Structures are given as C-alpha cells and as structure tokens.
Amino acid sequence: MILTVTLNAALDVTYRVDRLRPRAGNRVRATAARAGGKGVNVARVLHALGHRTVVTGLAGGPTGAAVRRDLAAAGLTDELVPIAGESRRTVAVVDEEADDTTILLEGGPHVSAAEWTAFLDRYEQLVPHASVVVLSGSLPGGLPVDGYAELIRRARAHRVPAVLDADGEALRAALGEGPALVKPNADELAAASGSSDPYAGAEALRAAGARAVVASLGPDGMIAVTPHGSWRAAPPAALAGNPTGAGDAAVAALAAGLVAQTPWPVRLTEAVALSAAAVAAPLAGDFDPALHRRLLPQVTVEPLRTREGESPCR
Amino acid sequence: MILTVTLNAALDVTYRVDRLRPRAGNRVRATAARAGGKGVNVARVLHALGHRTVVTGLAGGPTGAAVRRDLAAAGLTDELVPIAGESRRTVAVVDEEADDTTILLEGGPHVSAAEWTAFLDRYEQLVPHASVVVLSGSLPGGLPVDGYAELIRRARAHRVPAVLDADGEALRAALGEGPALVKPNADELAAASGSSDPYAGAEALRAAGARAVVASLGPDGMIAVTPHGSWRAAPPAALAGNPTGAGDAAVAALAAGLVAQTPWPVRLTEAVALSAAAVAAPLAGDFDPALHRRLLPQVTVEPLRTREGESPCR
C-alpha cells in the first residue's frame, strides 16, 4: 500500500456565490465540504487509480471528525491520529459570475509533543507495510521543523522510499535524510535553493540530499533531475481550470511510478497528464479520467541536455 | 425571563487577514467563532444588561454543537431544540489593512415537519414563563412561511407579548397575529409596506396588525409609531464601526422596555444608545457599556407631529 501523511489535514469547504462583493454581506447559494490537505488529495487520486492507500496524519475537533467522516464516505482507509486541537478549514469562495475563486486558509491547530509522539508510534506501525510514503503539505504549529526529516529517517530504516511535497524550512530540513523524491513548484524550488533557474535549483536540492527532484512549472509542465537523467515534460496546451490539486495529482503519479519502477519518461508523462486532468476537475483530489487518457499520448518528454557550466533551462 | 427564538442559529466565524486578495489564496491570521443568529445576539445583550434570558430555536450537526458550547460558555440558558441538519455558519472576513469586512452567509439547514413540531412543543413549555418573546431572523428551509405567525398566536394565548424582527414574507405573514412590536430597518419596512416613506410604511404595518412599529434608520436613529404616539429618536452623531448587531441591540432594549413598561421616549432612548454602543463593539451581540452610558443623555427624542394627510418624515 501507499501511505500518505497529512499532518495538517483540513476540511475543504466550497462556497458558491453569485458575485463576491467585498465589504458586503454575500449569500452563499451552495456549500460543499470534503476532506482535504495535500496528502488526502494525493490519496484520493491514488485510490481512483486503483492503488491501495492509507491516510495518516493528525486531525482533531469537530472539523477533524468531519474530515474523518468524509474519508470513510470516500472509501479511504483512515489512520489519522486524533489531537485535542481543532483541524483547520479552508474556504474556497467561487464567484459564479466572474468564474474565479478566492481562498481563505486557516492556520490549523497546535500539536503537543505527546500528540507528535503518538503519531510517530502509529507511523512506525504503518510504514513497514508501505511500498512508499508520501509526505505532503505544511506542518501544523508545535511540530519540530525537522518533522519530515524524522519521518524520512524512519521510513529509510524500513527501506521504504519517501516522496516529499513541502516547502520552506520543512523541505530544507528534510533533504539531508535522502528523500527518494521532492516535488517543489517553481516558487518553492527557488525559495529552497536560492536559484531562480529550475535546473540549477533542482541540482542544488539533489546536492543537499534529495535523490530526485521534480519541479512543477505550472502550465509549462515539469522538469525532473534524477540519478538516471534529466527531462522536461510538457502538456500539449495549457488548460484552464482549478490549479489547486494539480501538484497533488502529479505527486500521486510520481509515487505510483516509484512503486512500479517505471522509467522516468513514463512517470513524467503520467504526472503531467494526471496533473492537467486535475486542473480540469473542479475539486482538489479529483481528475477528469477521460481527459487523462486523452492527454497521455500527447505529453512530450525530452531529455535535458546540459553543456558544461550551462543550464538547459531558459 | 425573556425568551429569544433563533430558528436559524449560526456559528459566527471571524477570519482576520492582512489584506483580502480576491482570486488568490489568503492566509487567515486569526480565527474566532461564537454563537450567533439575531436572537442569540439579542439574548447576549439582554444578559449583559442583567435580564434573565432563555435561548431557544433550532440547532444541529457539529456546527450546532459548537453554537451550544459557546452559549454555555457565555452563561446563556440553552433551550435550543436539536435538528438533524447542520446549522449554518457565517464567515466575516476582516481585512485589517483596509479596515473593512466581507461577510459570507450560509443558507442554513432544512427543517423537517417533525422537528418543527418538536420545537413547538418546547416553545409551549417555555412561553408561559416568559414576560416577552423575541422572534428574530430568517426562517430556515422547510419551515412554514407563517411560522412566526404561529409563534405569536401561541404567545398571545398565554398573554405574552411578542417582538418580531424579521423581513419579507415571514414578517408580512405574522402581522395579522398582532405582534406587540415589529422592528424592520428602512429597507425591510419599504419592502413589507410598499412605501418608501418610513412613517407611512409603519402606519401600514400597524394597519395590518402590528401594535407598534419601530423602524431603524441606520445612523439617523429610529422612528416609532405606537398606540401611545409617534416619535423620532436620534443619536448625537453617526458612529463608525460594525453595524451588524446594532439592530439586535435595539431589539434587546425595546424588549426590556416592554417588560418594564417604561414610557416610549425612554425605550427609544435606550434603544438608540444601545444600538450606537453596539456599532462601536467589534462583534454582534456586544456593546460598549461606557459609550452606552455616555450616549444615554445625548439621545434626542421628539414627537412626530402629523398634519392631515401628510407624513412627518421627509
């Protein structure tokens, strides 16, 4: 099974309004809520692709209970560890007239040292059964900044590879433990590496310990810098839609490829097609399966050829 | 005791953001939540003024449970009747830089006929102990449009006067049952009466059955049209702040005045001062007690003198 870790699980709420009027009262026409957080989105995509997945992480309070009810409804195996604090909500306000979305992101709960220890115990029970662990998203307050480093170290002790989708200090502090793959977006990569060139940035993260780096570049696709070579993969055209969850779909594809040990160009093709098919779906964690199938043969993958001292990226 | 009825109780959530950026992700710096709905706000003000109050109405789901926990924390007597549906939330997004607020209002749950009957049973138990009942706010889905009419009829059977703060069809359908007081704002009064002149509108609601009408006119104060005469009351100056809850504070003062049978000019003075002191408080249901005391001697009340066929309002 694939173990996804969501330490800051969320209830993703969607409000539809006719027109979002700032500085006024806005009647919400329709409300939807479902379990979220990047790791949950990854699990949802993997589950839809037919992979056995287990969701762990931290959830608490009435909002955490709503997250867990929704995981059960979606048929996802729930191994979340309870905490005393209230899990966060995200609120996406969809302006139907303007066809755009404004997102409000709560900060999330504070986690105690005892709760973190309880999580590590659960993680130790789950990791030996995993073919890969996926660590996604922000760390809630109270967790050590090297929390992901600790989880990668423990996975490695069981010879289980780890995929990390995090940013900032949580990402930097984890590189030294040798994650099998990190997947920053362009901004996160630049922040973590100090380089605005994605290839140079990816090489810097590899030098710091990551075995492979896949950087998502939005509509431009992805670049991968790996022990087996470097590639750029791109969709046939930029797709309009909801970019939230596109990165999570890419992570799902890359984790599945890691399990199957498919060649990198195949993994990247899957990641780009699934990511684009996720952009076309209104909710994070969903993707358009017909579009996914249609896009697969249209994704282009080309090796990045580097000349001495020169980046293959613009 | 004063019985307040909130059929569409809410959890009022406040999100503070540095700057609300539409079409983007916004990190919420601070989150606060408390029990709301107009009737709950009225109860909170009455409680702060030292009146024994009981909160009834309908609440359900995890959000309803959060409402009830907060009522307990505030020391308000909770006689809410449980429903299967989930109580609504309101989300007030405070833009700290611009110092303004955008509000999102969920529609609320659907109430079954059996739940409405269960509420009527509870109401019948409570009403005989009430000196006045206050009926505030919107009717959730599933309730009969003449729900407030039914509640006023039942209160009258126990010789308990009813104060109604509702609008639209819920207000119009209730007038024939003879509420002791209705308190529309200028827009609600115009919509219910078909007249843009507040005095003529108030007379029309009286003709339809309301014994007294107090219309809140925002910073201009209020007018009252009653069996004992008509008055205009105004604060010394318009106050900046949060107008949400100002109407509820006015209703609290008017209900308290009804219980004490104070002369109308005194009731209106209280209502205007309390309303203005509520505008100065950041949360609905709160008021600034020092400002309330300071404003009381500054409120002006003057009789509305009508000449034959002429409105005393501009």
Side-chain angles (χ1 to χ4, degrees):
Chain A
M1 60 87 171
I2 298 177
L3 180 63
T4 70
V5 175
T6 314
L7 295 172
N8 209 352
L11 190 70
D12 287 338
V13 176
T14 304
Y15 284 167
R16 295 189 170 274
V17 299
D18 289 336
R19 189 85 180 91
L20 179 59
R21 289 168 303 135
R23 294 169 297 285
N26 295 268
R27 294 221 169 265
V28 175
R29 283 209 306 109
T31 303
R34 70 175 196 172
K38 291 164 85 67
V40 170
N41 297 341
V42 172
R44 224 182 260 279
V45 172
L46 286 168
H47 184 71
L49 292 173
H51 293 272
R52 279 214 308 129
T53 54
V54 172
V55 173
T56 188
L58 301 164
T63 303
V67 167
R68 305 186 74 155
R69 279 194 303 274
D70 187 63
L71 291 178
L76 291 165
T77 305
D78 167 10
E79 289 282 352
L80 289 168
V81 172
I83 54 173
E86 171 109 31
S87 290
R88 69 197 167 108
R89 289 172 169 242
T90 71
V91 178
V93 185
V94 179
D95 181 324
E96 304 237 302
E97 207 174 301
D99 193 22
D100 62 36
T101 302
T102 302
I103 298 178
L104 299 156
L105 300 153
E106 292 184 9
H110 187 93
V111 179
S112 73
E115 289 166 341
W116 175 235
T117 302
F119 172 77
L120 290 174
D121 289 348
R122 180 77 62 97
Y123 182 78
E124 279 288 350
Q125 292 161 15
L126 295 168
V127 160
H129 306 288
S131 50
V132 58
V133 299
V134 178
L135 312 170
S136 298
S138 60
L139 298 174
L143 289 196
V145 70
D146 61 349
Y148 281 137
E150 174 82 30
L151 299 185
I152 296 168
R153 183 159 53 242
R154 287 172 181 243
R156 216 183 43 202
H158 295 281
R159 299 176 185 281
V160 177
V163 176
L164 176 63
D165 183 5
D167 67 347
E169 197 49 39
L171 167 59
R172 273 197 300 273
L175 293 170
E177 294 298 335
L181 174 67
V182 297
K183 196 224 63 63
N185 64 29
D187 288 346
E188 292 163 351
L189 178 58
S193 67
S195 168
S196 62
D197 178 283
Y199 182 81
E203 282 289 21
L205 299 202
R206 294 236 309 132
R211 283 188 42 82
V213 179
V214 174
S216 50
L217 309 174
D220 290 341
M222 297 172 195
I223 65 159
V225 181
T226 85
H228 306 99
S230 301
W231 291 270
R232 175 195 297 279
L239 283 153
N242 166 27
T244 315
D248 302 328
V251 167
L254 293 167
L258 184 58
V259 172
Q261 284 293 306
T262 50
W264 271 103
V266 176
R267 290 187 210 183
L268 292 170
T269 300
E270 268 289 353
V272 167
L274 205 52
S275 188
V279 168
L283 294 176
D286 287 350
F287 63 93
D288 178 332
L291 182 61
H292 174 222
R293 280 189 300 274
R294 203 162 71 240
L295 285 174
L296 275 173
Q298 299 183 46
V299 174
T300 55
V301 182
E302 53 185 39
L304 290 177
R305 287 178 220 289
T306 55
R307 279 183 289 183
E308 190 76 27
E310 197 176 285
S311 164
C313 293
R314 285 144 303 181
Chain B
M1 60 87 169
I2 297 176
L3 180 62
T4 69
V5 175
T6 314
L7 295 172
N8 210 352
L11 190 69
D12 287 339
V13 176
T14 303
Y15 284 167
R16 295 189 170 274
V17 298
D18 289 336
R19 189 85 180 90
L20 179 59
R21 288 168 304 136
R23 294 170 297 283
N26 295 269
R27 294 221 168 266
V28 175
R29 283 209 307 108
T31 303
R34 71 174 195 171
K38 292 164 83 70
V40 170
N41 297 341
V42 172
R44 224 182 261 280
V45 172
L46 286 167
H47 184 72
L49 291 172
H51 293 271
R52 279 214 308 128
T53 55
V54 172
V55 173
T56 189
L58 301 164
T63 304
V67 166
R68 304 185 75 155
R69 279 195 302 274
D70 187 63
L71 290 177
L76 291 165
T77 304
D78 167 10
E79 289 283 350
L80 289 168
V81 172
I83 54 173
E86 170 109 32
S87 289
R88 70 198 165 106
R89 289 172 169 243
T90 71
V91 178
V93 185
V94 179
D95 180 325
E96 304 238 301
E97 207 174 301
D99 194 21
D100 61 37
T101 301
T102 302
I103 298 179
L104 299 157
L105 300 154
E106 291 184 10
H110 187 92
V111 179
S112 73
E115 288 166 342
W116 176 234
T117 302
F119 172 76
L120 289 175
D121 289 348
R122 180 78 61 95
Y123 182 78
E124 279 288 348
Q125 291 160 14
L126 295 167
V127 160
H129 307 287
S131 50
V132 59
V133 299
V134 178
L135 312 170
S136 298
S138 60
L139 298 174
L143 289 195
V145 71
D146 61 348
Y148 281 137
E150 173 83 29
L151 299 185
I152 295 167
R153 184 159 51 241
R154 287 171 182 243
R156 215 183 43 201
H158 295 280
R159 300 177 185 281
V160 177
V163 175
L164 176 63
D165 183 5
D167 68 346
E169 197 47 40
L171 167 58
R172 273 196 302 272
L175 294 170
E177 294 298 335
L181 173 68
V182 297
K183 195 227 63 61
N185 64 30
D187 289 346
E188 292 163 351
L189 178 57
S193 67
S195 168
S196 63
D197 178 283
Y199 182 81
E203 282 290 21
L205 298 202
R206 294 235 309 133
R211 284 188 41 84
V213 179
V214 174
S216 49
L217 309 174
D220 290 341
M222 296 170 198
I223 66 159
V225 181
T226 85
H228 306 100
S230 301
W231 292 268
R232 175 195 297 279
L239 281 154
N242 166 28
T244 315
D248 302 328
V251 167
L254 294 167
L258 184 57
V259 172
Q261 285 292 306
T262 50
W264 271 103
V266 175
R267 290 187 211 184
L268 291 170
T269 300
E270 268 290 351
V272 167
L274 205 53
S275 189
V279 169
L283 294 176
D286 287 349
F287 62 92
D288 178 333
L291 182 61
H292 174 222
R293 281 190 298 275
R294 203 161 70 240
L295 285 174
L296 276 172
Q298 299 183 47
V299 174
T300 55
V301 182
E302 53 187 40
L304 289 177
R305 286 179 222 289
T306 55
R307 279 182 291 182
E308 190 76 27
E310 197 177 287
S311 165
C313 293
R314 284 145 303 181

